[in-house]
Amino acid sequence: MKEISEFSIPEPSLKRLPQYHHYLVELKSKGINLVSCSTIGRDLEFVPVQVRKDLQFTGVIGKPKVGYSVAELVVAIEAFLGWDIVNEAILVGVGNLGTAILGHERFSRFGLQVVAAFDIDPGKIGQTIHGKTVLSLAGLADIAPRMGIHIGIITTPAEVAQAVANEMVTAGIQAIWNFAPTKLNVPQHMIVHNEDLYSSLASLSCKLAKRFRAQIRETERLN
Amino acid sequence: MKEISEFSIPEPSLKRLPQYHHYLVELKSKGINLVSCSTIGRDLEFVPVQVRKDLQFTGVIGKPKVGYSVAELVVAIEAFLGWDIVNEAILVGVGNLGTAILGHERFSRFGLQVVAAFDIDPGKIGQTIHGKTVLSLAGLADIAPRMGIHIGIITTPAEVAQAVANEMVTAGIQAIWNFAPTKLNVPQHMIVHNEDLYSSLASLSCKLAKRFRAQIRETERLN
């Protein structure tokens, strides 16, 4: 395998890599060893040129008229996405959403193992949820560094998310996946990804409303 | 209020609108009636010029040296996002994630009321979850049109998501918010938003791995 490209990858290409990975793992499980850009493009509904460009970022180059080695690509994507280096996370906030994430077996196939869950609710602490014992948030600063964990997931209400983020910074967490609908103030070195469901919702309802308004106008025009 | 702009809004601006809305509702609850671009920008950490551009899409123009009417902006954003026209949805798949969404009171403040939940599991049908009775998926095609629902949320496993999407199309649903990690084949007229948590995760772990690799190289260089 070639060395991993140090050029920065455009966000859309990066976001497609898990889709390629998922697809390639399925091919592999079917015993398929080689695949071409055009086949990948056809199956995933991407332009083949785009497929070639996306996959180039992982350092793997397909052979003309032969295609890519499926196994090589799987390993290269996993390495590019860092699943060989970082794949353990802790989660804070074992409400409905936190429970959903803890129970999501598929995440482990996508490079994420949630190894510990924390909460502040005495009614939840000590309970076992999807095989993980819920720990007291007070223990985070001790446990996370000891386990060498660098990813933290926040699934708390918005009101307490900042306090949790502060705890995570103290605990040596370097990347936060934030599901709480609030902006976090964290030191510059922190990597934060806000999972903004309200934005998704806004995008959806805005498009639908636009269509309905057009229909209303059309009806008015005809009457 | 001016007529709603028919120009298409760039996705980043659209995605910021719920943040403005959230912020403005809070101002309003504090009894603040007027606000300037620069204050909004400072509080939300956006460039004031960007704030002015974003808000212009809603048809509201701030007055020089006075600012925006908070109440007018709130109504204008809600109208732009279509919350006055479409705000009811049905949800299919009452697992952990579906339960989390049903229990998320905040969605109702962001224009979404989940009015009915469906599942195929006989053990779940008839149960009440967060105040909603879980209905049999078989009833969807009858109930959704009768209630005039146009938004469907899919929180099922990937394997059954396509079948659920087909049911939704039959039931007259026009917009699907898909949380299942799979691509849906739906007629052209359907509005689909895929909530791709794996892409988010890939983006996070890739950045973190890149940092670790750089640190490893730096350590090697020094030794």
Side-chain angles (χ1 to χ4, degrees):
Chain A
M1 208 176 69
K2 301 234 174 64
E3 209 188 320
I4 287 159
S5 166
E6 285 307 315
F7 299 106
S8 61
I9 181 171
E11 197 79 8
S13 297
L14 175 56
K15 293 201 159 185
R16 280 189 290 268
L17 287 182
Q19 296 182 50
Y20 294 119
H21 180 265
H22 185 83
Y23 168 78
L24 292 162
V25 167
E26 273 189 15
L27 287 191
K28 207 177 147 192
S29 74
K30 288 176 190 154
I32 297 168
N33 297 321
L34 291 166
V35 67
S36 70
C37 271
S38 45
T39 305
I40 300 176
R42 185 200 61 205
D43 291 348
L44 296 178
E45 293 175 39
F46 299 145
V47 186
V49 175
Q50 187 66 66
V51 174
R52 187 173 298 114
K53 258 181 86 178
D54 288 345
L55 296 178
Q56 240 166 37
F57 287 106
T58 68
V60 177
I61 315 276
K63 288 201 187 86
K65 310 216 170 173
V66 177
Y68 295 97
S69 150
V70 173
E72 190 188 5
L73 261 186
V74 167
V75 174
I77 293 175
E78 290 180 358
F80 186 85
L81 294 178
W83 297 353
D84 51 341
I85 306 186
V86 278
N87 63 358
E88 291 186 328
I90 52 97
L91 178 144
V92 178
V94 193
N96 287 310
L97 184 60
T99 303
I101 290 176
L102 283 177
H104 205 59
E105 307 114 27
R106 273 180 177 252
F107 278 128
S108 62
R109 280 198 258 156
F110 284 87
L112 188 80
Q113 301 274 2
V114 183
V115 294
F118 297 84
D119 208 293
I120 49 164
D121 180 353
K124 283 176 184 163
I125 294 165
Q127 275 194 27
T128 301
I129 294 178
H130 296 300
K132 269 124 209 158
T133 306
V134 180
L135 307 170
S136 164
L137 184 59
L140 178 69
D142 178 44
I143 293 166
R146 205 143 45 80
M147 296 179 83
I149 312 287
H150 301 287
I151 300 179
I153 304 171
I154 300 181
T155 46
T156 65
E159 296 73 39
V160 297
Q162 182 61 54
V164 169
N166 297 347
E167 287 286 326
M168 286 184 173
V169 172
T170 308
I173 295 294
Q174 298 196 27
I176 295 179
W177 194 5
N178 176 35
F179 284 83
T182 189
K183 212 178 172 111
L184 302 175
N185 287 312
V186 290
Q188 276 257 299
H189 75 274
M190 296 293 288
I191 298 165
V192 177
H193 184 93
N194 293 302
E195 200 62 49
D196 193 348
L197 297 182
Y198 302 116
S199 290
S200 301
L201 183 55
S203 163
L204 196 78
S205 72
C206 183
K207 282 174 196 156
L208 190 56
K210 206 171 160 184
R211 173 182 298 176
F212 285 158
R213 280 197 208 96
Q215 285 169 356
I216 292 165
R217 273 199 310 277
E218 183 62 15
T219 313
E220 284 169 355
R221 200 180 64 79
L222 294 175
N223 290 341
Chain B
M1 206 179 69
K2 301 234 174 59
E3 208 188 321
I4 286 158
S5 165
E6 285 305 316
F7 298 107
S8 62
I9 181 172
E11 196 80 8
S13 297
L14 174 57
K15 293 201 160 186
R16 280 189 290 268
L17 288 181
Q19 295 182 51
Y20 293 119
H21 180 265
H22 185 84
Y23 168 77
L24 292 162
V25 166
E26 272 188 16
L27 287 191
K28 207 178 148 192
S29 74
K30 288 176 191 155
I32 296 167
N33 298 320
L34 291 166
V35 66
S36 70
C37 270
S38 45
T39 305
I40 300 177
R42 186 200 60 205
D43 290 349
L44 295 179
E45 294 176 37
F46 299 145
V47 186
V49 175
Q50 187 65 65
V51 174
R52 185 173 300 115
K53 258 181 87 178
D54 287 345
L55 297 178
Q56 239 165 39
F57 287 104
T58 67
V60 177
I61 314 275
K63 287 201 188 87
K65 308 215 173 172
V66 177
Y68 295 96
S69 152
V70 173
E72 189 188 7
L73 260 187
V74 167
V75 173
I77 293 174
E78 291 180 357
F80 187 86
L81 295 178
W83 297 353
D84 52 339
I85 306 186
V86 278
N87 64 357
E88 291 186 327
I90 51 99
L91 178 144
V92 178
V94 193
N96 287 310
L97 184 60
T99 303
I101 290 176
L102 282 177
H104 204 59
E105 307 112 28
R106 274 180 177 252
F107 278 127
S108 61
R109 281 197 257 156
F110 285 86
L112 188 80
Q113 302 274 2
V114 183
V115 293
F118 297 83
D119 210 292
I120 49 163
D121 179 352
K124 284 177 184 162
I125 294 165
Q127 275 195 29
T128 302
I129 293 179
H130 296 298
K132 270 124 209 159
T133 305
V134 180
L135 308 170
S136 165
L137 184 60
L140 178 68
D142 177 44
I143 293 166
R146 203 142 47 79
M147 297 180 82
I149 312 288
H150 300 287
I151 299 179
I153 304 171
I154 300 181
T155 47
T156 65
E159 295 74 38
V160 296
Q162 182 61 54
V164 169
N166 297 347
E167 287 286 326
M168 286 185 173
V169 171
T170 308
I173 294 293
Q174 297 196 27
I176 295 179
W177 194 5
N178 176 34
F179 285 83
T182 190
K183 212 178 174 110
L184 302 174
N185 286 312
V186 289
Q188 277 255 299
H189 76 274
M190 295 294 289
I191 297 164
V192 177
H193 184 92
N194 293 302
E195 199 62 47
D196 193 349
L197 297 181
Y198 301 115
S199 290
S200 302
L201 183 56
S203 163
L204 196 77
S205 73
C206 184
K207 283 173 196 155
L208 190 56
K210 206 171 160 184
R211 173 182 299 176
F212 284 158
R213 278 194 210 99
Q215 286 170 354
I216 292 165
R217 272 199 310 276
E218 184 62 14
T219 312
E220 285 170 352
R221 202 179 62 79
L222 293 175
N223 291 337

